[in-house]
Amino acid sequence: MDKRGPRFRSSVSSNRTRLLGTTELQGGWFAEIGGTLSADQPGLTPAEIQNLTLYVWQRGDTLTNYYMIFGGTNFDDWAGGANITSYDYDAPIREDGGVGERYQRVHDAGGK
């Protein structure tokens, strides 16, 4: 069992007037040059992203930030180390602007 659990629950219950937030709810990861693209890497499924979102809201989050909610490319610079300059991260809104089930799940969670 995660030893932080009891302290977290105690902190949440004793600080009801303070905001609780998740600053980097991640669904994907970067790609390396010559490596597997973000969309082809193992990561959270669309259902898992939605469930994780609903779970943190159920636990009291009032602020949720997705890292990355939309992808992009840094055309004017180099990435760090062996990373490519795309930061698509298999984001719900893809680098090319496309959306799919990952986006729909995040969108639908916000409407419930």
Side-chain angles (χ1 to χ4, degrees), residues 58-97:
Q58 180 185 29
R59 301 294 297 165
D61 265 25
T62 55
L63 165 85
T64 306
N65 179 62
Y66 295 92
Y67 185 87
M68 299 282 193
I69 191 67
F70 62 89
T73 300
N74 184 356
F75 290 111
D76 204 24
D77 203 357
W78 289 92
N83 298 340
I84 62 175
T85 59
S86 166
Y87 53 95
D88 182 70
Y89 287 66
D90 198 21
I93 302 172
R94 302 303 305 274
E95 183 175 18
D96 64 3

Side-chain angles (χ1 to χ4, degrees), residues 4 8 24 27 31 42 45 57 62 76 83:
R4 295 172 296 172
F8 173 78
E24 290 191 5
T45 66
W57 291 348
T62 55
D76 204 24
N83 298 340

